[in-house]
Amino acid sequence: MSPAFVKNANEARGLAFGPDGLLYDCDEGGIVRFSENGDKTIRIGNTQCQDIAVSSLGELIYTTTSGVETHNQLQLNQYGPSDNWGLRALVPNGISLSPDQSMLYVSDPNGKWVWSYQMQSDGSLANGEPFFRLETMDEASASGAAGMTTDSKGLLYVATLLGIQVCDAQGRVVAILNRPEQADPSSGPVAGVAFGGPNHEYLYAVVENKVFRRHLVRKPAQP
């Protein structure tokens, strides 16, 4: 993946494009929004965001160390790790909406699974289950699963220790994209992924303090 889109990305951890066509990112300062040329604006400050998804209404859904929060221009609603969210058995890291936004996917870095939840009309989650089974290193149980995104065909792209794993609608891994060759080998795993760029034909990936991109034939699920 090359060239770098943003340098000194302030420990970026998650990526998502909104219906405004702009790139949103979780970093040490909160949630920021990037313009087409890489300039950033703070969207929500002073929050420990881990990963982010943007709905078709422009609502920001993001995970924190204390649960899941949602934010839009009108209000801020905070949800703790209650039974409705079903996150008490997980360490939620990455989240992504399904193409039709009826499901929320939650990655578990300490396990092999990405969980699937049904989105309810009141904003709560129901019927959570481990659905996408990820590949891990030999004799390892932790996938390091982090940020995720989906394409228009329903494939799920998951940032993991092994690279970007691509899962089909049946929950199977059908491909693994290696981490960017230009990234420092000691810089850690891929942390976040998102589609964007001209005609939405690039897959962007965060590795530590840099954002890389790679041209793909696939198109994203539209926000």
Side-chain angles (χ1 to χ4, degrees):
M1 295 181 177
S2 64
F5 172 63
V6 175
K7 295 183 179 180
N8 301 319
N10 198 20
E11 300 297 329
R13 289 185 293 271
L15 296 172
F17 277 88
D20 55 7
L22 299 181
L23 178 65
Y24 290 78
D25 158 49
C26 294
D27 67 18
E28 289 299 312
I31 297 176
V32 299
R33 181 173 59 196
F34 290 105
S35 66
E36 293 181 357
N37 60 8
D39 295 333
K40 71 177 182 179
T41 301
I42 296 176
R43 184 65 176 83
I44 304 175
N46 300 319
T47 184
Q48 295 298 314
C49 174
Q50 298 298 312
D51 195 26
I52 185 172
V54 186
S55 75
S56 58
L57 300 177
E59 183 181 46
L60 306 181
I61 305 171
Y62 55 99
T63 55
T64 69
T65 55
S66 61
V68 177
E69 298 176 353
T70 65
H71 181 280
N72 56 30
Q73 293 182 346
L74 299 178
Q75 63 182 353
L76 174 65
N77 300 312
Q78 183 172 356
Y79 301 89
S82 66
D83 289 343
N84 286 339
W85 287 100
L87 299 178
R88 62 190 184 279
L90 298 175
V91 182
N93 194 345
I95 57 174
S96 181
L97 290 164
S98 63
D100 63 2
Q101 303 202 351
S102 65
M103 310 292 292
L104 182 73
Y105 304 135
V106 180
S107 66
D108 177 9
N110 295 329
K112 297 176 181 287
W113 297 93
V114 172
W115 287 61
S116 175
Y117 295 84
Q118 293 179 350
M119 294 285 293
Q120 305 299 293
S121 59
D122 62 358
S124 65
L125 303 178
N127 302 321
E129 63 175 347
F131 187 74
F132 300 94
R133 189 182 190 282
L134 301 174
E135 299 293 333
T136 62
M137 297 180 183
D138 292 342
E139 300 181 357
S141 60
S143 64
M148 300 180 290
T149 190
T150 56
D151 68 20
S152 60
K153 301 297 184 182
L155 292 178
L156 178 69
Y157 298 72
V158 188
T160 71
L161 293 173
L162 293 180
I164 301 172
Q165 300 194 36
V166 185
C167 304
D168 64 14
Q170 287 72 45
R172 302 168 299 192
V173 174
V174 295
I176 300 178
L177 306 178
N178 293 331
R179 61 196 304 277
E181 294 180 358
Q182 295 185 4
D184 185 337
S186 64
S187 62
V190 182
V193 290
F195 281 95
N199 300 317
H200 302 285
E201 58 191 10
Y202 286 90
L203 183 67
Y204 288 78
V206 171
V207 179
E208 199 174 48
N209 64 345
K210 292 183 174 63
V211 180
F212 297 85
R213 69 179 185 179
R214 172 174 175 166
H215 184 268
L216 292 183
V217 175
R218 294 282 185 174
K219 299 291 184 180
Q222 294 301 313

